[in-house]
Amino acid sequence: MRVRRDAAWLGILGFALVLTASPALAGNVTGTVKYVGAVPKLRPIQMDADPGCAAKHKGPVQSEVLVLGGGNTLGNVFVRVSGGLPAKQWPVPSEPVVLDQQGCRYEPHVMGIMVGQDFKILNSDGLLHNVHALPKVNKTFNMAMPANRKEAVEKFTKAEEMFKIKCDVHPWMNAYIAVLDHPFHSTTKEDGKFQIKGLPAGNYEIEAWHEKLGTQTAKVTVAADGTATADFEFSPPKR
């Protein structure tokens, strides 16, 4: 009888240890961003001022201001958790955020990074560029990237809302970056889809930002090991 009781207690103890060792269940937020309204005719980017840039493209280079996919899904929208996160210090990813100068454009055009995370800047073009960051909270920098300088690394030390990065050599080149104190963000591509993974269960505010169409927010409830949905629709600004 005692042997059975001991075995039962060992089984319960083992189950408890498994639960203690398992990571907390986490949920996700997914959604789609769309553009609603008349689609303006945007002029292609004019790269003729630098023959080296023009030679990297076989046809017109479309503007990055309004990137649309099928059904007018909207790219280059930055989506982040803007409220509801527990007050804690989130681990900084070991992999860098990469900004590449390719085809005389910054890729990606919109991005997020954590405080203290490496910001790796590449020059895949083999042409003279420069990277001029214009934050208001963090330290500004204006980095020359001649043809033979293929890589550089910077860091941002404080959280900051979206700010612009520009190239003084090629005025059409620009990008936008937000510095966050957490890793819960995503940027849409042409299909308009985003996914934010690994959120603790709770109630959150989700913010979607577009460089010309403004900012929108939505409220979601994320269950442990569940997925919440937040869809956004952007319209042209009223004149």
Side-chain angles (χ1 to χ4, degrees):
M1 195 71 178
R2 182 177 177 181
V3 173
R4 289 183 179 179
R5 285 200 301 269
D6 290 346
W9 277 111
L10 286 172
I12 294 171
L13 178 60
F15 182 69
L17 288 173
V18 169
L19 287 179
T20 303
S22 299
L25 295 176
N28 307 316
V29 178
T30 64
T32 303
V33 184
K34 291 187 176 183
Y35 176 84
V36 178
V39 178
K41 293 183 179 179
L42 300 176
R43 293 181 180 178
I45 299 172
Q46 299 296 320
M47 296 188 180
D48 296 344
D50 188 332
C53 291
K56 292 184 177 295
H57 300 274
K58 295 181 179 180
V61 182
Q62 299 303 312
S63 170
E64 297 169 293
V65 172
L66 192 66
V67 175
L68 300 178
N72 280 0
T73 52
L74 184 58
N76 285 339
V77 176
F78 183 71
V79 185
R80 64 166 179 142
V81 174
S82 56
L85 283 170
K88 60 174 286 186
Q89 192 166 17
W90 303 95
V92 177
S94 57
E95 66 275 11
V97 170
V98 177
L99 176 69
D100 197 0
Q101 295 161 109
Q102 190 171 35
C104 292
R105 295 191 299 177
Y106 289 132
E107 295 184 3
H109 182 63
V110 176
M111 72 209 87
I113 192 170
M114 272 194 74
V115 172
Q117 186 175 5
D118 281 350
F119 182 44
K120 183 184 287 188
I121 303 162
L122 304 179
N123 182 0
S124 296
D125 277 337
L127 299 172
L128 172 64
H129 291 299
N130 85 303
V131 183
H132 191 175
L134 301 169
K136 296 181 179 179
V137 177
N138 285 278
K139 183 179 179 181
T140 62
F141 63 84
N142 192 355
M143 180 191 305
M145 296 286 287
N148 60 353
R149 188 177 187 184
K150 299 300 183 183
E151 182 178 315
V153 177
E154 288 285 339
K155 285 187 179 181
F156 300 105
T157 59
K158 300 175 183 177
E160 184 167 356
E161 300 294 325
M162 275 287 178
F163 58 88
K164 191 174 184 177
I165 298 172
K166 68 174 184 173
C167 176
D168 298 319
V169 180
H170 306 109
W172 63 82
M173 288 179 65
N174 59 79
Y176 296 88
I177 189 167
V179 187
L180 308 179
D181 54 11
H182 63 77
F184 303 110
H185 60 85
S186 179
T187 301
T188 64
K189 298 186 183 300
E190 283 189 8
D191 64 4
K193 296 184 182 299
F194 69 88
Q195 183 176 42
I196 299 173
K197 300 180 179 179
L199 282 166
N203 298 314
Y204 296 98
E205 180 180 79
I206 308 298
E207 179 185 275
W209 174 95
H210 185 271
E211 65 181 281
K212 295 296 184 182
L213 304 178
T215 301
Q216 294 186 17
T217 59
K219 303 285 188 181
V220 297
T221 298
V222 177
D225 203 25
T227 298
T229 302
D231 295 324
F232 297 92
E233 289 186 348
F234 283 86
S235 302
K238 296 180 180 180
R239 295 183 177 178

